[in-house]
Amino acid sequence: MSIELNIDLHCHSNISDGALPPQEVSARAAANGVDVLALTDHDEVQGLAHAASAAHEHGIKFVPGVEISVTWANRGVHIVGLNINPNDATLLKGLAGTRAGRHQRAHRIAEGLEEAGWPGGMAAAERLAGNPDMISRTHFARFLVEQGAAPSVSAVFNHYLSPGKPGFVATQWASLSDAVNWIRGAGGQAVVAHPGRYNFSSSTFDAFLGEFIDLGGVGIEVVTGSHSADEYAKWAAVARRFGLLASRGSDFHAPNEGRADLGSLPPLPNGLKPIWHDWW
Ligand code: AMP
Ligand code: MN
Ligand code: MN
Ligand code: MN
């Protein structure tokens, strides 16, 4: 282990809602100076083999990952699994079940957007999605940017795709215990993704973390593309208070989409135990 390594443990390919094929994600990571990369597509592990072989061709280490969509207390939460065995049957079955409602949900999102004056969303999302099983709100957001409905993917989320907006469809994802159990059963480590994105009160967040830890969850993202620089210290303190291992990941989805690029974030703050502390 070396603190100088550029370690990026969260990103997406077009197997979920990223724009680049898995091989190109690894190539871009290597070009950006990443030494260790985890691909963490939403609810799907199909991209890992291609990303791994491309990572090795480019001389960087690869960590198989996934980002599982979870519903906890009626809210959406994401749990990253790192160093999973992508062939674990229970994990694969669980992910397939988690993806199962997405197509029907996409039709409902498209209907909501059509009522708001933006028809054609379903065909566009199918065109933009690399994987017909994994149509995400991000694909609708890219379509609405193409249409000029809003200037950026994040603006589309604010106006059309967040709770209470016309393209939002409440969805029941995996339970927290299923997600953590699938990850652990596949030999992996469970990590809370981008904690700063959830609008929990601090007591609700403490209850969530207590449950996560009781289930065997071990990590939390401190440095992520979803946190502003002044949030790193806040989440570092939470990691220390709960004895959680700290992770770092860009959550890269696409070039030029206004999110962090692969390997571009600062290192973890001092005084944290990194999730990779015993990997090598
Ligand atoms: P879904 O799994 O279909 O609900 O889509 C969730 C994805 O939407 C997340 O993984 C992000 O990539 C993206 N997303 C959610 N909120 C925002 C936002 N405010 N700005 C940009 N992307 C977002
Ligand atoms: Mn995403
Ligand atoms: Mn996420
Ligand atoms: Mn992500």
Side-chain angles (χ1 to χ4, degrees), residues 25-27 29-31 33-37 52 54-62:
V25 173
S26 293
V34 170
D35 300 293
V36 183
L37 177 72
H56 296 141
E57 274 166 35
H58 290 278
I60 69 175
K61 277 190 196 293
F62 186 77

Side-chain angles (χ1 to χ4, degrees), residues 44-114:
E44 178 57 282
V45 293
Q46 255 186 62
L48 296 176
H50 283 130
S53 55
H56 296 141
E57 274 166 35
H58 290 278
I60 69 175
K61 277 190 196 293
F62 186 77
V63 173
V66 67
E67 181 176 19
I68 303 182
S69 308
V70 163
T71 301
W72 183 83
N74 288 319
R75 303 149 195 259
V77 170
H78 287 172
I79 302 294
V80 163
L82 297 175
N83 274 314
I84 49 159
N85 167 8
N87 301 314
D88 182 84
T90 307
L91 172 69
L92 291 174
K93 188 161 172 255
L95 296 180
T98 308
R99 290 192 303 272
R102 275 196 183 263
H103 209 82
Q104 203 188 358
R105 170 192 190 237
H107 279 287
R108 293 179 57 201
I109 292 175
E111 280 163 24
L113 295 177
E114 178 155 9

Side-chain angles (χ1 to χ4, degrees), residues 183-228:
I183 290 166
R184 295 183 71 210
Q189 292 170 292
V191 177
V192 176
H194 42 62
R197 280 248 301 265
Y198 315 126
N199 289 321
F200 292 172
S201 67
S202 66
S203 62
T204 302
F205 201 85
D206 284 3
F208 167 73
L209 281 185
E211 224 176 278
F212 174 73
I213 291 166
D214 285 347
L215 290 165
V218 292
I220 188 166
E221 290 182 346
V222 171
V223 173
T224 133
S226 295
H227 290 170
S228 57

